Amino acid sequence: MSAADFTEFAGLFPDETVTHSYVQDIELPAVPGKASPGTFALITLDNGLDHSKPTTLGPNTLVELGTVLEGLRDRAARGGIVGVGVTGKPYYLVAGADLSAVKSLEKREHGLWMAQLGHDVYGTLANLGVPSFAFINGAALGGGLEVALQSTYRTVSTGAGALALPEAFIGLVPGWGGVYLLPRLVGPENAVKVMIENPLSNNRTLTGPQAFELGIADAVFEPADFLEQSLAWAAGVISGDVVPERANAVDPAAPDVAERWAAAVAAGRRFVEAKTSNAAPAPGKVLDILEANRTMTRAESAALECGTLADLMQTDEFRATVYAFLDLVQKRSKRPAGAPDRALARPVTKVGVVGAGLMASQLALLFARQLKVPVVMTDIDQARVDKGVGYVHAEVDKLLGKKRISQDASNRTKALVTGSVSKDVFADADFVIEAVFEELRVKKQVFAELEAIVTPDCILATNTSSLSVTAMAEDLQHPERLVGFHFFNPVAVMPLLEIVRAPRTDDAVLATAFELSKGLKKTGVLVKDAAAFVVNRILLRLMGEVTAAFDEGTPPDVADNALRPMGLPMTPFTLLAMVGLPVAQHVQESLHTAFGDRFPVSANLQKLIDNGVKGLWENAPDGSRLIPESTLSLLSFGNHPSTADEVLRRTQDALAGEIGLMLDEGVVAGPEDIDLCMILGAGWPMFLGGITPYLDRVGASERVNGKRFLPPGVASRPAGA
């Protein structure tokens, strides 16, 4: 395509927030004993917005950057500049491609143009006729990091975070040269880590120092004078006084590299299989390109990258990922559906936690660390209280040992958490949450005792996973003060908070709950008071179908692996063991009471619980999994086995039916909240889009409910595209 064609293509995106390329001429500092190397052109990428609006790369942005670079190439040819640098506005180099623009590309041809446009612009950066430098002052994601990789040299700030090639996570491949350049710069093993292992491990990113250690950057400087230090370093490179060392760089043609390259790709494929069961196309495509480009020219790899990128942009998995990541996690999570006006929220200056067990202790630590207010725990005896406070202190010590907090922060957090055997300590608390045994009678007793102690404005919260908040409130003098505040385990890691509104919960209480969730760095989703709320209801329906198939006589390996095409983070029986068989059975019993035979209670599961068995599988000496004969002897089975395909379809249809009922009941505002809950509360894969786009894609929604959950084009290709 010509420059005019690219400009015409960019015109299809009139609403793009353009990241402009501002050029400043700088006389480089003199190197000791020498004169200044000359004039240096510094490009600053800036969209003119504050740090809450990251700079991104859309078609108009790329056309402008390309035009600027072409002008600088002409200046370099005339001897007007000795080098070109690229940096960004505060906190960002560039946060990657504009996903909103990419998602809107309905034709494969347009996706191909987008890929080719990036390569055309980046090719200019790589061939300016003078050295180019990337000064990585902040986040550099995807195409942002590829800007740096296409430069001749790179510096990075120790304050820079979020450096990554996350394309495998969002359903694409690094399409602007990263998959070709990175393995040559840092070695194939490190390239697989950055392009596969990190993205598929909850989208992990690199810090500035980590990027320097891998060899992505040639030099690392402190934030305070990062630009000045980078310019001085660039002057040294241009004058020949500084020669960067690249210890991890490899020559793909070297005799020993072919074997390393193949081993790295093979390791990457094993990792993808373990993480996704190969249910998502993008990670495998990244490895396909990496495997092929060892013997390719840069131009040949670019053509392969462009074609692959164009294909992936048209997949339902990519569009489902953008829906999950951009529409839900980045947008909807920040504006919870149904949340009251935040102005109604009350201040919380002291928190009480009833209980000092593991969950209660995790809650106490979270409240103290994030809210930085006094937190007091209670339990029935001093030994339990001491154990709970001791747990908090030990966890703080671990954070200190890992250098994740300072000594001062450690001391302050420990001082904030105290314990008592008397609930009288809650007299001046603003918010008290219970985390006691999951038994309605016990919880009602706790709240009755609390109401006699706390102030009239004190909010009472329950961390119940399945019991009725309405029932807990029915004997309270002020039922409007009670709210469900359901965390997921482990509390420090899982970002979801199911905020449960009972019929009489008032708006001020609810508003305070949502403000607290933000203060705790959690995502609050408003749910109706219905048995097991959202995540546990869906997970127990799933596990119930698989367990029922097993009880009917389906072989255990068939039943447990039947859902592998969904790419879930773990198999159902593994999840059962992790949750704990007694806990899962207790929730299943609650759901059976509420909804009947859709949630059957497994007699086999109860036999395992009664005999102290922790889970079905055990690891054999050879590393394989088996069910011990002692466990099998406890169980009885029917004579109606199912195939893996039958178990998968049965589960898909059950989930579609259950979610349809949940939406009819008004458990949440819409299918988007179902998906958000499953992503943040159960680790549901982004490439599924949560759960409802997956059920739409496999036809379960229409088989069971007669309609899709989401219109075509929301988390899938538009109709007719």
Side-chain angles (χ1 to χ4, degrees):
M1 291 178 67
S2 67
D5 291 331
F6 284 137
T7 300
E8 182 179 350
F9 169 60
L12 299 175
F13 305 89
D15 298 327
E16 176 187 339
T17 300
V18 177
T19 297
H20 295 288
S21 300
Y22 298 106
V23 181
Q24 176 186 6
D25 282 359
I26 296 173
E27 193 70 14
L28 287 173
V31 176
K34 298 182 180 179
S36 165
T39 302
F40 186 87
L42 179 66
I43 301 171
T44 300
L45 301 172
D46 193 341
N47 59 9
L49 303 172
D50 65 29
H51 68 276
S52 67
K53 301 293 190 296
T55 46
T56 55
L57 298 163
N60 289 283
T61 296
L62 288 169
V63 167
E64 180 177 321
L65 176 60
T67 301
V68 167
L69 288 170
E70 287 170 359
L72 293 176
R73 183 178 58 191
D74 292 343
R75 287 183 64 192
R78 298 193 301 269
I81 53 175
V82 296
V84 173
V86 182
T87 192
K89 73 176 188 179
Y91 308 109
Y92 298 97
L93 177 62
V94 179
D98 182 344
L99 289 180
S100 296
V102 175
K103 184 184 177 183
S104 71
L105 300 172
E106 296 183 4
K107 298 179 181 179
R108 182 187 183 278
E109 181 183 33
H110 289 166
L112 187 62
W113 292 352
M114 180 76 170
Q116 291 171 339
L117 172 58
H119 268 288
D120 183 77
V121 173
Y122 285 23
T124 305
L125 176 63
N127 295 281
L128 289 170
V130 292
S132 57
F133 297 79
F135 302 146
I136 308 171
N137 62 304
L141 298 170
L145 187 58
E146 285 172 308
V147 166
L149 292 172
Q150 293 277 7
S151 301
T152 319
Y153 303 100
R154 290 156 292 280
T155 67
V156 69
S157 168
T158 58
L163 278 69
L165 292 176
E167 284 82 359
F169 171 77
I170 60 174
L172 299 174
V173 298
W176 291 334
V179 73
Y180 181 88
L181 296 166
L182 187 64
R184 289 160 170 77
L185 183 65
V186 302
E189 302 87 353
N190 286 330
V192 168
K193 175 182 179 180
V194 173
M195 295 191 296
I196 296 295
E197 294 179 16
N198 284 357
L200 299 186
S201 298
N202 296 317
N203 206 19
R204 185 183 300 152
T205 61
L206 300 170
T207 64
Q210 288 171 335
F212 172 69
E213 185 177 346
L214 285 181
I216 292 174
D218 298 304
V220 60
F221 301 115
E222 294 298 317
D225 57 353
F226 172 70
L227 184 57
E228 292 82 356
Q229 290 284 353
S230 294
L231 289 167
W233 185 84
V237 171
I238 291 171
S239 67
D241 288 69
V242 174
V243 180
E245 294 183 8
R246 293 177 175 170
N248 291 335
V250 300
D251 176 1
D256 63 325
V257 172
E259 187 175 337
R260 285 178 55 193
W261 205 284
V265 170
R269 295 198 190 281
R270 290 192 296 272
F271 190 88
V272 171
E273 166 71 21
K275 284 286 187 178
T276 72
S277 302
N278 293 320
K285 294 294 185 182
V286 174
L287 292 168
D288 290 345
I289 297 172
L290 176 62
E291 184 172 36
N293 75 22
R294 185 185 68 81
T295 57
M296 283 181 166
T297 65
R298 199 158 171 170
E300 289 169 339
S301 182
L304 179 59
E305 293 162 32
C306 289
T308 304
L309 201 59
D311 290 340
L312 288 172
M313 285 179 188
Q314 296 305 309
T315 62
D316 283 339
E317 287 85 355
F318 164 65
R319 292 167 185 271
T321 303
V322 175
Y323 158 79
F325 181 67
L326 188 65
D327 299 341
L328 300 184
V329 174
Q330 295 294 314
K331 294 181 179 178
R332 193 176 181 93
S333 67
K334 295 175 174 60
R335 296 184 292 275
D341 185 346
R342 60 185 302 183
L344 297 172
R346 302 171 188 163
V348 173
T349 60
K350 179 179 177 179
V351 171
V353 180
V354 183
L358 179 59
M359 176 58 81
S361 300
Q362 291 183 76
L363 295 180
L365 175 60
L366 179 72
F367 279 100
R369 280 198 71 202
Q370 301 300 339
L371 300 184
K372 297 177 175 56
V373 299
V375 180
V376 58
M377 291 190 288
T378 64
D379 216 312
I380 58 175
D381 59 50
Q382 193 63 45
R384 286 180 171 86
V385 170
D386 291 344
K387 184 177 180 181
V389 174
Y391 170 89
V392 172
H393 287 198
E395 290 299 303
V396 171
D397 287 340
K398 289 179 186 177
L399 293 169
L400 179 63
K402 295 176 182 177
K403 298 183 179 179
R404 291 178 57 188
I405 59 174
S406 66
Q407 184 66 60
D408 284 347
S410 169
N411 295 341
R412 286 195 303 269
T413 303
K414 287 181 179 181
L416 287 172
V417 180
T418 57
S420 174
V421 294
S422 171
K423 293 185 180 66
D424 290 343
V425 292
F426 299 141
D428 58 345
D430 304 301
F431 184 92
V432 180
I433 184 169
E434 67 76 24
V436 299
F437 184 67
E438 193 77 345
E439 169 63 51
L440 182 60
R441 179 187 57 81
V442 175
K443 292 181 185 291
K444 291 184 73 168
Q445 179 182 340
V446 164
F447 286 126
E449 293 171 357
L450 287 173
E451 200 167 36
I453 295 167
V454 298
T455 65
D457 288 336
C458 179
I459 294 170
L460 302 180
T462 172
N463 186 46
T464 184
S465 60
S466 62
L467 299 178
S468 169
V469 180
T470 305
M472 290 181 210
E474 63 187 5
D475 295 331
L476 290 177
Q477 296 177 20
H478 297 286
E480 70 278 0
R481 71 162 79 199
L482 184 62
V483 65
F485 213 55
H486 179 218
F487 291 85
F488 290 80
N489 208 3
V491 170
V493 176
M494 301 304 289
L496 179 66
L497 247 177
E498 290 179 330
I499 298 179
V500 187
R501 181 172 202 163
R504 297 179 67 178
T505 306
D506 75 21
D507 283 351
V509 168
L510 207 59
T512 306
F514 275 100
E515 285 303 295
L516 278 178
S517 74
K518 290 180 184 177
L520 296 170
K521 298 183 179 178
K522 302 295 183 185
T523 296
V525 175
L526 182 63
V527 303
K528 182 182 176 182
D529 186 21
F533 315 126
V534 175
V535 173
N536 284 338
R537 181 167 170 180
I538 292 172
L539 288 181
L540 267 295
R541 186 70 199 268
L542 178 152
M543 290 191 287
E545 294 300 323
V546 174
T547 302
F550 174 60
D551 291 348
E552 291 161 7
T554 303
D557 58 328
V558 173
D560 200 26
N561 290 302
L563 307 189
R564 286 184 67 81
M566 295 173 70
L568 299 179
M570 63 186 71
T571 67
F573 292 164
T574 302
L575 179 60
L576 269 174
M578 190 189 80
V579 170
L581 303 190
V583 172
Q585 187 79 326
H586 179 78
V587 178
Q588 190 79 356
E589 288 168 347
S590 297
L591 286 161
H592 179 75
T593 299
F595 303 120
D597 290 341
R598 297 204 311 276
F599 292 88
V601 178
S602 170
N604 275 339
L605 191 57
Q606 191 60 49
K607 290 176 185 175
L608 297 179
I609 295 167
D610 293 342
N611 286 273
V613 178
K614 304 294 185 184
L616 276 176
W617 298 111
E618 288 188 8
N619 292 324
D622 64 358
S624 63
R625 297 192 311 168
L626 55 81
I627 300 178
E629 286 299 325
S630 58
T631 298
L632 284 174
S633 67
L634 300 172
L635 308 177
S636 57
F637 302 99
N639 56 2
H640 299 287
S642 299
T643 65
D645 287 343
E646 289 169 339
V647 175
L648 176 61
R649 185 180 176 102
R650 166 183 181 166
T651 305
Q652 291 168 343
D653 289 354
L655 293 175
E658 199 62 39
I659 292 169
L661 291 170
M662 293 167 71
L663 294 173
D664 289 344
E665 295 164 15
V667 174
V668 289
E672 298 87 352
D673 290 322
I674 296 280
D675 294 326
L676 187 59
C677 284
M678 296 308 293
I679 291 165
L680 300 182
W684 220 258
M686 287 277 186
F687 63 80
L688 294 185
I691 183 169
T692 67
Y694 169 78
L695 296 173
D696 286 345
R697 190 159 65 246
V698 299
S701 310
E702 292 179 277
R703 286 197 302 266
V704 177
N705 303 322
K707 60 181 180 180
R708 297 168 60 97
F709 288 113
L710 298 167
V714 172
S716 59
R717 296 184 69 199

